[in-house]
Amino acid sequence: MMNTKYLSVSHITAGFSAVLIGYTSSIVIILQAATAAGASAAQIESWLLALGLMMGLSSIGYSWYYKKPILTAWSTPGAAMLVSIASQHDLPTLVGAFVVTGALIFITGLVTPLSNALKRIPSPLATAMLAAILLPFCVKAFEPIMSMPGVFLLMFIAYALSKRFAAKYTMLMLLIVGLAAAFYLDNDLVSTAHFAVANPVWLTPEFDVMAIFNVAVPLYIVTMLSQNLSGIAMMQSYGYTAPVKPILVGTGLINMLAAPFGGFSLNLAAISAAMCMTEEVDSNKGNRYRAVIWAGLFYILAGLLATSVVSIFVAFPSEVTQMLAGFALLGTLLMCLQSAFSNARYREASLLTFLVTLSGISFLGLNAIIWGLLFGWFYASLMNKKAENS
């Protein structure tokens, strides 16, 4: 029987919220990627089962062992990339590329200079990058006021009152109001679910040099720089030291093992992880890992009930999801902005990182997140050398 210390309402709701936001914000992209790869309905089910189990077990294992909120997730940018390139390769070749991606992450964890390089990125630049990633989510929380003013007002009032009188239960209040609104807007939401346990489908990987260069290497780069880097920065911004080497070794190994069943990527979560790290989750920073334990259990449940999860999450009103995510991340955005611009030495470099990341540019195959860090890092290095020479 589970120890009662894990039965905190704030831990459970934070864990559920992290999974809810993670799934509703990107499960459609996963479905598109699997479809573009030529996966059958049974194989798509297997993809979601593999992803749910690998995210759930790794989140529980890491968080319990290190007593830190270490939440893993699939790579949403990686899935978006697969949507555009998956049709160029057959499914066994893609699975082979997924295995290679996991191997590259595994090797990165073993090679100390590579894993240490992630730790050397200045904290103000990393939090500026995170702020730029979070800002669109928070802005979108206010867009439904035009299309659903009644629902928006209920959500905002629930947010404001809970923050004022019971901050610890803010996410619980938002979830209750949000779910009630979702079911009110769509009475058939529950009836769309068909409860059945998903089955794993093995697909023997095939290794192709072109697929490795065109799929595995880009997926590795995106996973490392857009996902793992953001996850490490998020943990650091809340005062946690990320065990980088064990995380990379473990997630890379799990990625390799789960790839034949559809586990295309496994990495640290950032945005959804923030929901398990705030003051509202637990005033004791050392207890917040318990929220991730619950998130891991919900991940596993979502994976096992993949068919039902797909039908429900695809039908969930996007406006309600936007408000849930946006209001939940307001505190994290504020914390990131304060951290990014509090150090005068990195203030201008952080601003460059923030603006370039927010711009959404893509150049030479690199996305805005990577360019933001490159601009900020170059400028900070240049200015710091100038200060040293003067």
Side-chain angles (χ1 to χ4, degrees):
M1 190 173 179
M2 182 175 285
N3 194 313
T4 54
K5 69 183 180 181
Y6 288 93
L7 297 177
S8 166
V9 172
S10 59
H11 295 160
I12 297 171
T13 53
F16 181 75
S17 299
V19 174
L20 178 70
I21 299 305
Y23 266 75
T24 52
S25 63
S26 59
I27 193 170
V28 174
I29 300 174
I30 303 297
L31 297 176
Q32 289 175 337
T35 303
S40 64
Q43 287 169 332
I44 291 174
E45 229 175 81
S46 180
W47 276 46
L48 293 174
L49 172 63
L51 290 167
L53 292 179
M54 62 197 277
M55 294 187 300
L57 294 173
S58 59
S59 295
I60 292 171
Y62 279 125
S63 299
W64 179 83
Y65 184 80
Y66 289 103
K67 299 299 184 286
K68 297 177 181 179
I70 303 173
L71 186 70
T72 61
W74 58 51
S75 172
T76 301
M81 184 193 75
L82 286 175
V83 173
S84 60
I85 63 174
S87 60
Q88 301 169 19
H89 307 275
D90 58 30
L91 199 53
T93 302
L94 283 173
V95 169
F98 299 161
V99 173
V100 173
T101 299
L104 291 172
I105 295 171
F106 177 78
I107 293 169
T108 303
L110 291 179
V111 180
T112 302
L114 289 175
S115 57
N116 285 345
L118 287 172
K119 300 178 183 179
R120 287 198 294 267
I121 295 174
S123 180
L125 302 188
T127 50
M129 172 197 72
L130 279 172
I133 295 172
L134 293 172
L135 184 60
F137 286 88
C138 294
V139 170
K140 285 181 181 178
F142 297 89
E143 291 178 357
I145 195 171
M146 296 183 291
S147 56
M148 295 182 177
V151 174
F152 173 85
L153 287 174
L154 283 174
M155 292 280 284
F156 182 75
I157 291 169
Y159 171 79
L161 291 178
S162 58
K163 289 289 282 187
R164 172 63 180 85
F165 297 105
K168 190 176 181 180
Y169 300 104
T170 299
M171 275 312 303
L172 175 61
M173 291 303 298
L174 286 174
L175 274 173
I176 291 172
V177 176
L179 289 170
F183 290 125
Y184 173 77
L185 293 169
D186 185 1
N187 294 324
D188 297 325
L189 198 60
V190 176
S191 62
T192 59
H194 305 286
F195 290 97
V197 176
N199 294 308
V201 177
W202 170 274
L203 188 62
T204 302
E206 295 179 5
F207 299 96
D208 177 78
V209 174
M210 293 308 297
I212 290 172
F213 278 107
N214 292 328
V215 179
V217 173
L219 185 57
Y220 162 75
I221 293 172
V222 166
T223 300
M224 290 300 298
L225 296 181
S226 298
Q227 296 290 134
N228 280 328
L229 181 58
S230 302
I232 292 168
M234 184 63 75
M235 289 190 66
Q236 290 174 340
S237 67
Y238 278 96
Y240 298 101
T241 302
V244 176
K245 200 168 184 177
I247 287 173
L248 296 181
V249 170
T251 55
L253 181 61
I254 294 170
N255 201 155
M256 284 189 283
L257 295 174
F261 300 101
F264 70 93
S265 75
L266 180 66
N267 45 252
L268 281 173
I271 295 171
S272 54
M275 298 177 187
C276 298
M277 299 183 192
T278 63
E279 184 77 16
E280 288 79 9
V281 174
D282 199 306
S283 56
N284 185 345
K285 195 177 83 170
N287 291 336
R288 295 174 195 169
Y289 75 93
R290 296 170 186 167
V292 178
I293 300 290
W294 279 103
L297 292 173
F298 288 123
Y299 268 148
I300 293 171
L301 184 63
L304 292 172
L305 300 176
T307 307
S308 307
V309 167
V310 171
S311 59
I312 291 176
F313 283 137
V314 169
F316 214 79
S318 60
E319 293 88 350
V320 174
T321 302
Q322 286 175 214
M323 288 183 278
L324 277 172
F327 289 138
L329 294 171
L330 282 176
T332 303
L333 174 63
L334 179 60
M335 180 273 299
C336 286
L337 289 171
Q338 289 172 333
S339 174
F341 300 109
S342 61
N343 190 331
R345 182 181 175 188
Y346 289 102
R347 197 165 289 154
E348 288 186 330
S350 294
L351 180 61
L352 282 174
T353 300
F354 177 77
L355 293 174
V356 175
T357 304
L358 189 61
S359 71
I361 62 171
S362 179
F363 183 61
L364 298 178
L366 302 179
N367 63 21
I369 295 172
I370 301 170
W371 279 116
L373 280 174
L374 290 175
F375 271 92
W377 207 343
F378 172 77
Y379 189 83
S381 301
L382 193 64
M383 292 300 107
N384 288 342
K385 286 181 181 178
K386 178 185 175 182
E388 290 170 2
N389 295 331
S390 59

